[in-house]
Amino acid sequence: MLRKYGYTNGALTGFILLLWISVFFIGGIYGAYSWAILKLVLPILGALGLMINLIMLIISIVKKQKSAKLFINIVVNIMLIFPILMTMNSIPFAYPNTIERAHPSITVSWPLTSETVVGWGGNDVKDNLPHAVWASERWAYDLVMEPYSINSESNEDYGIWNKEIYSPVSGIVIAVSNNEADITPGTEDFKSIEGNYVYIKIKETGTYLLLNHLKKGSVSVEVGNTVEPGDFIGRVGNSGSSSEPHLHIHHQRQDPTKVIHPVLAEGLPLFFQDIDGNSMPNKDTFIKPHPLLK
């Protein structure tokens, strides 16, 4: 049976099954790596294999030869390619982790002082599509202020542009980027995914809080600085991979300065205190932070 199926096909099928088991039942950093392999690596290998086997199938048809193994190869290649539909969000599917299983969660202060809108956020994929589909950003937020989504090419037209950002936690600054230019809204002329940022190792948990897309030259802290909730750390910009000015914030277990790629980390739940409404606010929620910041 295995000989007919093919040893290579058997190994690939077993590997795919192992990856899915890791994602659903093992989790942690192993699940994050498995998810990235399923969504980013295997589809490329599957596409190459499918192209080769289709060519071989055409040749066999022309020669009037039958090959059941080629059909099996094609089916296995399609299995490898299938997760690309999740990568492209044709099938929106959140990274299968749960708030109950992911520890530790943290509850932090709101990083802004003015009324804010949650552009993307929450536990469900429909409310947090760009983030929830990746392990590292499973519970990330994109924050904006009115006006937003106005299709203007000027950063100054967006409500959150240049707004002050305050540390949501007690911790130590472990990494800072402050020199990347802010891009024109709606363009893809960015140098890095995160843009300018401040990364904080949280004193309470030893996990990490990431704040991205800050304005060039606005970061006021340096590596090694200790921060407390309410300390000014920078201003909202539009640096990095960003469609318009906004603040991206998320919580993860691994040190972001030591991961191979930003998606290869385990995202952890992030809640907010001293705000009206749900402590894990969903997309389109208006947030009125309580005046606790310095």
Side-chain angles (χ1 to χ4, degrees):
M1 180 66 180
L2 183 58
R3 183 176 297 177
K4 184 176 180 180
Y5 188 68
Y7 292 105
T8 301
N9 288 332
L12 284 173
T13 303
F15 184 56
I16 294 170
L17 181 61
L18 180 63
L19 291 174
W20 282 109
I21 290 173
S22 178
V23 166
F24 276 96
F25 300 105
I26 299 176
I29 193 63
Y30 302 105
Y33 270 81
S34 297
W35 191 244
I37 292 171
L38 281 166
K39 296 184 66 174
L40 299 174
V41 179
L42 294 191
I44 297 174
L45 298 178
L48 291 173
L50 181 62
M51 182 173 61
I52 293 170
N53 281 282
L54 285 175
I55 293 173
M56 293 174 64
L57 179 63
I58 292 171
I59 293 173
S60 67
I61 291 174
V62 171
K63 292 183 176 181
K64 297 181 180 181
Q65 297 174 343
K66 294 182 179 180
S67 177
K69 187 176 179 180
L70 282 177
F71 285 102
I72 295 173
N73 290 349
I74 289 171
V75 171
V76 172
N77 290 147
I78 292 173
M79 290 170 56
L80 294 173
I81 295 172
F82 177 77
I84 196 67
L85 297 177
M86 296 188 295
T87 307
M88 299 172 64
N89 294 328
S90 298
I91 300 178
F93 191 79
Y95 176 68
N97 203 357
T98 65
I99 293 173
E100 294 75 20
R101 189 173 73 171
H103 296 288
S105 62
I106 56 168
T107 301
V108 305
S109 300
W110 196 252
L112 303 160
T113 55
S114 303
E115 184 176 75
T116 312
V117 182
V118 179
W120 293 103
N123 187 49
D124 297 329
V125 68
K126 65 181 179 62
D127 293 321
N128 207 1
L129 181 60
H131 304 133
V133 296
W134 297 105
S136 60
E137 299 183 353
R138 179 64 180 84
W139 293 282
Y141 299 84
D142 283 344
L143 306 179
V144 294
M145 293 180 184
E146 292 188 320
Y148 63 95
S149 297
I150 55 177
N151 296 320
S152 171
E153 294 185 356
S154 174
N155 284 316
E156 289 78 7
D157 291 341
Y158 293 82
I160 201 169
W161 169 258
N162 202 38
K163 287 294 190 292
E164 294 182 341
I165 304 168
Y166 299 89
S167 175
V169 296
S170 298
I172 297 176
V173 177
I174 63 160
V176 166
S177 175
N178 196 30
N179 297 316
E180 186 169 334
D182 296 283
I183 66 173
T184 301
T187 65
E188 297 292 329
D189 190 24
F190 58 87
K191 294 182 179 180
S192 69
I193 295 175
E194 299 91 346
N196 299 312
Y197 54 76
V198 173
Y199 296 160
I200 302 171
K201 184 175 183 179
I202 303 167
K203 179 180 179 181
E204 177 185 357
T205 59
T207 52
Y208 300 88
L209 193 71
L210 287 68
L211 300 102
N212 297 340
H213 311 306
L214 278 61
K215 183 181 179 183
K216 180 182 178 180
S218 74
V219 176
S220 64
V221 292
E222 298 178 351
V223 173
N225 286 169
T226 298
V227 292
E228 299 294 335
D231 288 346
F232 174 70
I233 59 175
R235 293 180 180 271
V236 179
N238 195 38
S239 57
S241 178
S242 173
S243 59
E244 66 178 71
H246 73 282
L247 176 63
H248 172 101
I249 179 171
H250 80 263
H251 175 214
Q252 68 182 49
R253 188 182 306 279
Q254 287 74 29
D255 185 337
T257 66
K258 297 179 180 179
V259 298
I260 300 173
H261 188 277
V263 302
L264 298 175
E266 179 190 359
L268 298 170
L270 177 60
F271 299 91
F272 293 98
Q273 62 189 0
D274 302 317
I275 62 172
D276 296 329
N278 195 332
S279 60
M280 181 177 278
N282 295 327
K283 175 180 169 61
D284 296 331
T285 300
F286 281 77
I287 303 297
K288 294 181 179 180
H290 296 179
L292 294 179
L293 298 176
K294 295 178 181 178

